[in-house]
Structures are given as structure tokens and as C-alpha cells.
Amino acid sequence: YALFDDDALYIAARIRNPRAASLPRTGGDWGRTDGFEVDIQPVLGKKLGPIFVLHGFRSGKFESVTDAGATEAQARALGQAIAFKAQITSLGWMCEYRIPLRTLAQGADKPTRFLFNVGCRSADEWFAWAKTRGANYNVARAGELVLTPACSATSKNLLRNGGFESSDTKPWRISTNRGVTIPSDCLR
């Protein structure tokens, strides 16, 4: 999920893992344990800000790293401003990031456009919102996130009064890489 208000961008995910009960509940080491990555680069007028790489883990551990070129000071400032929470469930885990827009702005006006990607490591497999032919943080080859309201906050829409949290999963289908077995409890 991606939501925003005047102050922050909220990114949340549910990660399913058939081995959820046996996975460690502490620590977090990117590339070795289940994790969820947010890769975001603010568009600041006619120039691009730094690419921020954010790693969150099922244990609740969070890190803002310099893998994509943000300086140590930039990564540290954003990391200190972010709120991250994770919760382990019987089917895997959930996480949510609250990312302050002013910190992403790096002193410029609050951005409303971002080059963006998310990635996940679960059950020893890698997933991404957009394939970049490289690291997930190669956001120039990923997608764009635009923070412009598409409808009034009082109107019925997908997230508000639209039954988004209902258990009816009929419109959703799983897709996977060729040769990867789809769990039997997933829609096809």
C-alpha cells in the first residue's frame, strides 16, 4: 500500500512466507533474512535528489543505507526521521514505513513526484515491483510515484470505504517467475 498526507508518505506491505513460524524473530541482515526494501528518489523541480535505500525486517529492525549514492549524512538524517514498524503474523509478516516528505526534500520544496521501487526477500526468493535489470534501487528503470490526490478524501474510493481490507481476494491473482511453484492456497 502507498498512502500520503501533507507530512509523510506511508508504505506498507504484507509478506507471506510459508515458513513463517520457523523464521527468526530477531535481527535482520539484508540479503540473508526476510526484508522489505523501499527505494525512493525525490524529483525536486528539474533536478533529482539522492536515491534513498531503506531496509526493514520482520524483527522491527530498520536501516537507511548508502547503497545507491545518498551520502552517509543524508541516509542517517532520513533514517532518524522515519518511523518503521513490523509485526509477525501466522502467514508471514507486515511492515509499515512513515517517511517524512520534508526530510526527502533535502531543503527544497516538499516533493510530490518520486522515482520509486520496492523489493522484498521472502523464503529465499527476491521480488520487486519493477524489474530494473539490476539492483532494485536503479529507480530510473522502475516506476514513478506521484503524490497528487486522484479523488476527494470524502469520496468512496478503493482505500476509503471501498472494502480494500475485505477478505474477498477475487480480483487479485498471483504471478510468479517461470518454474516457480505457486503455493496451493493462492488464487490462480
Side-chain angles (χ1 to χ4, degrees), residues 92-157:
W93 61 291
M94 302 181 300
C95 66
E96 182 177 314
Y97 295 80
R98 181 187 183 279
I99 306 169
L101 296 172
R102 291 232 182 266
T103 309
L104 285 170
Q106 301 286 301
D109 290 337
K110 258 191 312 191
T112 58
R113 287 183 50 227
F114 303 89
L115 300 183
F116 179 80
N117 203 4
V118 292
C120 177
R121 183 177 190 278
S122 179
D124 298 325
E125 292 188 60
W126 292 95
F127 303 92
W129 177 51
K131 292 181 181 180
T132 64
R133 293 188 228 146
N136 289 339
Y137 57 73
N138 186 1
V139 293
R141 298 182 83 104
E144 186 175 359
L145 188 62
V146 180
L147 306 186
T148 304
C151 56
S152 164
T154 59
S155 69
K156 183 172 180 168
N157 58 60

